[in-house]
């Protein structure tokens, strides 16, 4: 369980990134922070592994104030996936995945063997292990990023726009893969994105942020779509866009959903 | 040619002396300039002035610098250390800016990812920042190596042995072949040491070589990658 207790972050120049933010992320759930750039969502994520320390307020993991823990040890116990993978370009794929266990003192051989298993787990062939990250496609790199984050078997996964840099089809595959993994592993996932569709697909709970990480609305995707709290949320989630406003028609005994432009988008079963 | 035929036995000894003066200065310059470059990159406020001052050192003419070292340290002009200190000053002056650039060229995303994975400050430096800075560092070390090898010749003016002796002696005695031999041998030595540094750099960064080949062959379709590519 991750708890933000009235955290704020003001940078040295006087810029406020986060103002008085509180949130509880229950264990084994996926919570997605969604907001445009400047909403402080990445800052919030980085507070959990102490890449950023809040100016005021506290972050607790399983009830313990993390400001009292050693930052390095804390980070090794939390999986982190970042945009464009953030893989070490001078290490092979296998060594990238084996990094955290080796930092924790696991032998190189053991860590590599475990890494092979993890590659398979995220849908990559073991043969890719010997390659360097730049010899992989963007989607493959992201899968390696996920495997690396899982390597030390952390309870918590932090994901910072992990699928932002790949094309829509691959992004969809990666999202499905994450849902499948999450169903198997049941990690506590805090996920940051600016993509509302991604948030709705992945989240048990969506938190819509405006500037300075002020919570505009939180809840399940369906609740937010059905009852946007205000115009900001309505515009942000596109609840009034033609793609979201569907009507139904009866065609040959089936109910067809049609968007506002009249294009059929699906069938109700 | 006649001069060379009669005096070639002298040359290996002079080359050895030249190398003996060059290598310690090159190594010391790297050891001193890399941490300064890293500091200048990390602390921008003091970094600017530090880089400025260090670079200005290169503008000091060599003879006054050698005299200053003699006065300040009390070493003798014939001591190898006099020359080593002077060469190291120039080496550091040449290398600090490239060192700072080398660390600046490390992808911030990669650095952050390494920190987020739980590398400590020192292990981020040794395992991530430094290895990734090597390609740019090597380019700076190559320039500095060539500069050092040519500067060693100045040592002949204060009585240090090396290929520079061929220049001063040949000039005084009016033997053009001796001067030419000195120039060519110095240039050859510089090229060889430069090549050795390049090869060492390649061996240290097998990943960069593969990436380089790949971006070269795929230049038409390649997406822009980090500054290292």
């Amino acid at each position: 369980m991750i708890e933000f207790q009235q955290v704020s972050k003001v940078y040295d120049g006087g810029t406020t990134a986060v103002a008085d933010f509180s949130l509880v992320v229950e264990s084994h759930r996926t919570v997605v922070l969604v907001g445009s750039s400047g909403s402080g969502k990445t800052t919030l994520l980085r507070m959990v592994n102490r890449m950023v320390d809040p100016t005021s307020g506290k972050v607790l993991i399983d009830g313990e104030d993390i400001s009292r823990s050693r930052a390095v040890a804390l980070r090794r116990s939390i999986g982190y996936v970042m945009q464009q993978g953030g893989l070490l370009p001078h290490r092979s794929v296998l060594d990238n995945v084996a990094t955290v266990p080796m930092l924790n003192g696991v032998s190189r051989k053991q860590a590599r063997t475990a890494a092979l298993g993890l590659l398979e787990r995220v849908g990559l062939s073991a043969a890719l292990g010997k390659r360097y990250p730049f010899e992989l496609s963007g989607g493959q790199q992201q899968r390696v990023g996920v495997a690396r984050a899982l390597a030390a078997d952390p309870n918590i996964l932090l994901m910072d726009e992990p699928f932002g840099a790949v094309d829509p089809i691959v992004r969809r595959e990666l999202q499905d893969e994450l849902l499948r993994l999450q169903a198997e592993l049941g990690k506590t996932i805090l996920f940051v994105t600016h993509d509302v569709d991604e948030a709705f697909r992945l989240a048990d709970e969506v938190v819509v942020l405006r500037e300075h990480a002020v919570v505009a609305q939180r809840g399940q995707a369906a609740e937010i779509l059905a009852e946007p709290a205000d115009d900001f949320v309505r515009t942000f989630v596109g609840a009034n866009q033609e793609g979201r406003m569907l009507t139904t028609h009866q065609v040959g005994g089936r109910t067809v959903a049609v968007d506002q432009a009249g294009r059929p988008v699906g069938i109700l079963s | 040619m006649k001069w060379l035929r009669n005096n070639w036995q002298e040359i290996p000894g002079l080359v050895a002396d030249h190398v003996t003066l060059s290598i310690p200065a090159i190594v010391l310059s790297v050891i001193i300039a890399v941490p300064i470059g890293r500091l200048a990159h990390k602390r921008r406020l003091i970094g600017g002035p530090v880089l400025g001052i260090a670079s200005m050192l290169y503008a000091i003419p060599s003879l006054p610098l050698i005299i200053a070292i003699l006065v300040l340290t009390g070493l003798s002009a014939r001591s190898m250390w006099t020359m080593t200190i002077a060469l190291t000053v120039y080496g550091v002056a040449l290398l600090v800016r490239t060192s700072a650039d080398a660390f600046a060229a490390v992808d911030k995303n990669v650095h952050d990812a390494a920190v987020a994975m739980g590398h400590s400050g020192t292990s981020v430096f040794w395992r991530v920042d430094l290895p990734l800075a090597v390609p740019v560092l090597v380019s700076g070390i190559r320039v500095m190596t060539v500069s050092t090898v040519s500067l060693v010749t100045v040592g002949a003016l204060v009585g240090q042995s090396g290929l520079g002796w061929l220049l001063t002696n040949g000039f005084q005695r009016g033997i053009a072949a001796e001067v030419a031999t000195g120039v060519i041998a110095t240039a050859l030595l510089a090229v060889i040491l430069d090549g050795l540094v390049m090869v060492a750099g390649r061996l240290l960064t097998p990943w960069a070589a593969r990436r380089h080949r790949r971006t070269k062959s795929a230049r038409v379709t390649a997406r822009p990658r980090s500054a290292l590519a």
Side-chain angles (χ1 to χ4, degrees):
Chain A
M1 187 173 74
I2 310 167
E3 242 177 304
F4 294 89
Q5 292 186 345
Q6 298 182 300
V7 291
S8 297
K9 179 68 190 178
V10 181
Y11 283 106
D12 290 343
T15 326
T16 304
V18 172
D20 195 26
F21 176 87
S22 297
L23 177 74
V24 177
V25 180
E26 298 288 348
S27 295
H28 316 298
R29 285 172 62 86
T30 305
V31 172
V32 178
L33 305 177
V34 57
S36 43
S37 58
S39 62
K41 54 195 191 301
T42 295
T43 306
L44 285 173
L45 197 72
R46 290 181 167 211
M47 281 181 186
V48 179
N49 66 355
R50 296 198 55 198
M51 298 277 283
V52 172
D53 284 320
T55 324
S56 65
K58 280 193 280 192
V59 179
L60 288 80
I61 291 179
D62 296 332
E64 290 195 36
D65 184 351
I66 60 167
S67 67
R68 294 206 199 105
S69 62
R70 273 186 63 231
V72 168
L74 176 76
R75 289 172 193 148
R76 287 179 195 173
S77 72
I78 295 176
Y80 194 97
V81 189
M82 61 198 306
Q83 202 171 6
Q84 298 179 330
L87 300 177
L88 305 178
H90 60 307
R91 294 287 177 77
S92 72
V93 165
L94 214 51
D95 284 341
N96 262 284
V97 178
T99 303
V100 183
M102 277 172 62
L103 286 171
N104 282 332
V106 175
S107 77
R108 190 189 195 90
K109 203 177 156 204
Q110 222 180 327
R112 283 186 163 179
T113 313
L116 279 176
L118 278 161
L119 286 183
E120 259 169 58
R121 177 132 229 183
V122 298
L124 291 174
S125 100
L128 294 179
K130 285 190 203 116
R131 297 206 192 161
Y132 286 110
F134 61 87
E135 295 172 313
L136 268 51
S137 72
Q140 288 171 328
Q141 289 185 27
Q142 285 311 134
R143 285 172 192 260
V144 176
V146 173
R148 183 176 68 174
L150 292 172
D153 196 21
N155 292 326
I156 294 174
L157 272 187
L158 304 176
M159 309 186 82
D160 188 1
E161 307 215 19
F163 311 142
V166 293
D167 66 67
I169 294 167
V170 176
R171 190 178 312 153
R172 183 89 181 209
E173 281 172 21
L174 291 168
Q175 289 164 355
D176 288 342
E177 192 78 21
L178 180 64
L179 287 169
R180 184 184 63 76
L181 277 170
Q182 174 62 355
E184 286 173 20
L185 301 173
K187 303 289 184 190
T188 305
I189 300 180
L190 189 57
F191 191 109
V192 154
T193 183
H194 61 264
D195 178 348
V196 174
D197 293 316
E198 182 166 75
F200 285 177
R201 265 175 74 74
L202 298 177
D204 295 318
E205 182 176 356
V206 178
V207 180
V208 183
L209 300 174
R210 10 164 151 252
E211 269 199 349
H212 310 317
V214 174
V215 176
Q217 189 172 6
R218 48 187 289 195
Q220 290 176 5
E223 294 169 358
I224 293 175
L225 264 182
E227 273 185 85
D230 54 23
D231 283 344
F232 172 82
V233 178
R234 189 172 296 120
T235 311
F236 190 79
V237 304
N240 51 0
Q241 283 168 14
E242 57 180 43
R244 295 247 193 254
M245 298 296 274
L246 305 178
T247 48
T248 56
H249 294 285
Q250 297 297 319
V251 178
R254 306 290 303 267
T255 309
V256 178
V258 177
D259 70 12
Q260 275 192 316
R263 287 182 293 258
V265 292
I267 289 170
L268 302 188
S269 58
Chain B
M1 276 299 113
K2 195 175 149 210
W3 179 89
L4 191 58
R5 221 176 304 133
N6 293 335
N7 297 279
W8 65 267
Q9 324 86 293
E10 277 183 48
I11 293 175
L14 292 174
V15 169
D17 288 345
H18 205 105
V19 171
T20 311
L21 278 174
S22 307
I23 303 281
I26 292 169
V27 172
L28 274 175
S29 299
V30 174
I31 292 173
I32 295 169
V34 171
I36 296 177
R38 154 89 169 182
L39 185 77
H41 164 65
K42 266 191 112 176
R43 309 227 182 282
R44 300 284 159 85
L45 266 183
I46 56 167
V50 166
L51 291 183
I53 292 166
S55 303
M56 256 165 24
L57 291 174
Y58 199 71
I60 305 173
S62 45
L63 282 178
L65 179 65
I66 290 170
I67 292 165
I69 290 167
L70 294 177
V71 172
L72 288 173
T73 63
L75 287 164
S76 103
R78 289 182 172 264
S79 162
M80 177 193 146
W81 285 103
T82 309
M83 215 45 211
T84 302
I85 293 171
L87 294 170
T88 304
V89 168
Y90 289 129
V92 169
L94 265 182
L95 197 55
V96 275
R97 195 168 290 274
T98 322
S99 300
D101 291 347
F103 288 109
V106 174
D107 189 342
K108 178 141 193 332
N109 217 12
V110 171
H111 173 91
D112 283 358
V115 173
M117 275 191 288
H119 283 87
S120 65
T122 40
S123 79
V124 173
F125 175 77
W126 289 106
R127 296 185 193 199
V128 182
D129 289 349
L130 188 60
L132 290 178
V134 163
V136 180
L137 275 179
V138 164
S139 70
I141 295 171
R142 290 176 62 184
V143 172
M144 186 266 287
T145 299
V146 170
S147 153
T148 303
V149 169
S150 73
L151 278 167
V152 168
T153 55
V154 177
L157 295 174
V158 291
Q160 304 257 353
S161 178
L163 291 165
W165 187 80
L166 296 175
L167 305 180
T168 50
N169 189 58
F171 185 69
Q172 279 161 9
R173 295 167 60 194
I175 308 170
E178 187 176 1
V179 174
T181 304
V183 170
I184 292 168
T186 308
L188 273 179
L189 183 60
V191 169
I192 290 167
L193 289 185
D194 175 49
L196 287 178
V197 174
M198 186 184 76
V199 169
R202 288 269 169 85
L203 292 178
L204 280 173
T205 58
W207 49 277
R210 269 162 81 172
R211 172 143 81 177
H212 188 66
R213 249 201 317 275
R214 186 183 143 101
T215 33
K216 244 185 174 170
S217 62
R219 185 154 288 161
V220 189
T221 51
R223 284 175 294 153
R225 292 193 181 257
S226 78
L228 283 174

